[in-house]
Amino acid sequence: MQDENARHREKMRKIKAARDRMMATKTDRKGLVIVHTGPGKGKSSSGFGMVMRCIAHGMPCAVVQFIKGNWKTGEADFLRERFADECTFVISGEGFTWETQDRERDIAAAQAGWARAKELIRDPDIRFVLLDEINIALRYDYLDIDEVVDFLLTEKPAMTHVVLTGRNAKPELIEAADLVTEMTLVKHPFRDGIKAQAGVEF
């Protein structure tokens, strides 16, 4: 047992030394463009987890929620009722596209949301902006992908983080982003007839 512990300590010592050398080269800081996409659950949940971190660090933040409309969600209630001073929360959209069934209204709502998102991203006091489900609006061409990417690359303040969530992120956005995570679906209870539940999905 003592030999095993000694081998473990030596292995960890080498790993730490290598890690310390690597970390010594990572000295830059910048505001990131982050994309959460893929068919698996957790894209919005991860984004809202980052909002919570920002609030804890005293970093003013904002959320613009596309597509979902006035669907009652825990995150909207929580942030609006308890952290309105720390996080601006904007709902843009009248519901999922299969609910509204009105492309012109969906486009108008998405464009209004994007206009507000640009204001919030440009605001020098806001450090983090979550664009929840914007990838859906981009997928259906409610917003111009080239205009969105150009804005993020040329007008986003240098130290502002922007997270964009939703399935089917466009290749142009993936190329422009600093960090991209694809959520993979392995199992989901919906396939077994379990509907979306409070605290898990919304």
Side-chain angles (χ1 to χ4, degrees):
M1 190 61 158
Q2 287 182 344
D3 287 346
E4 185 177 341
N5 287 339
R7 284 194 297 272
H8 177 78
R9 279 195 302 273
E10 179 60 17
K11 181 180 178 181
M12 293 303 110
R13 185 192 66 76
K14 290 179 180 178
I15 290 173
K16 182 180 183 329
R19 182 85 181 164
D20 289 347
R21 286 193 299 272
M22 180 187 70
M23 292 303 292
T25 68
K26 313 297 182 190
T27 57
D28 292 344
R29 293 176 67 233
K30 65 174 284 193
L32 302 176
V33 174
I34 301 169
V35 175
H36 295 164
T37 192
K41 177 178 160 34
K43 299 175 288 292
S44 295
S45 301
S46 178
F48 282 106
M50 295 169 84
V51 168
M52 181 178 69
R53 286 177 177 167
C54 289
I55 290 171
H57 285 293
M59 297 167 59
C61 54
V63 175
V64 179
Q65 201 162 50
F66 293 80
I67 304 298
K68 289 177 179 174
N70 287 316
W71 188 33
K72 188 174 174 62
T73 64
E75 58 266 22
D77 289 348
F78 180 74
L79 290 170
R80 285 177 153 176
E81 292 171 12
R82 302 185 191 185
F83 294 99
D85 292 338
E86 294 87 352
C87 183
T88 302
F89 202 110
V90 177
I91 292 178
S92 176
E94 299 180 52
F96 292 103
T97 52
W98 58 86
E99 296 285 356
T100 62
Q101 301 177 18
D102 188 329
R103 179 175 168 79
E104 287 186 8
R105 277 170 51 191
D106 290 340
I107 290 171
Q111 291 181 348
W114 175 237
R116 186 71 176 108
K118 288 190 288 186
E119 293 175 0
L120 293 165
I121 292 168
R122 287 185 182 117
D123 186 332
D125 293 328
I126 293 178
R127 300 277 309 283
F128 180 98
V129 180
L130 172 60
L131 305 180
D132 188 39
E133 302 291 1
I134 192 174
N135 288 339
I136 306 302
L138 289 165
R139 173 188 180 189
Y140 289 118
D141 297 319
Y142 296 169
L143 302 172
D144 185 304
I145 183 63
D146 292 331
E147 197 261 322
V148 170
V149 168
D150 181 68
F151 177 86
L152 293 172
L153 293 179
T154 64
E155 293 195 49
K156 180 187 75 63
M159 292 308 296
T160 299
H161 304 295
V162 178
V163 176
L164 306 93
T165 75
R167 296 178 179 221
N168 303 112
K170 290 207 168 187
E172 298 94 326
L173 181 60
I174 291 173
E175 176 66 25
D178 299 291
L179 172 61
V180 179
T181 299
E182 184 171 15
M183 312 298 188
T184 301
L185 177 63
V186 177
K187 290 179 72 176
H188 199 294
F190 188 77
R191 291 176 172 175
D192 296 324
I194 309 299
K195 68 179 183 178
Q197 299 180 81
V200 179
E201 276 87 11
F202 60 90

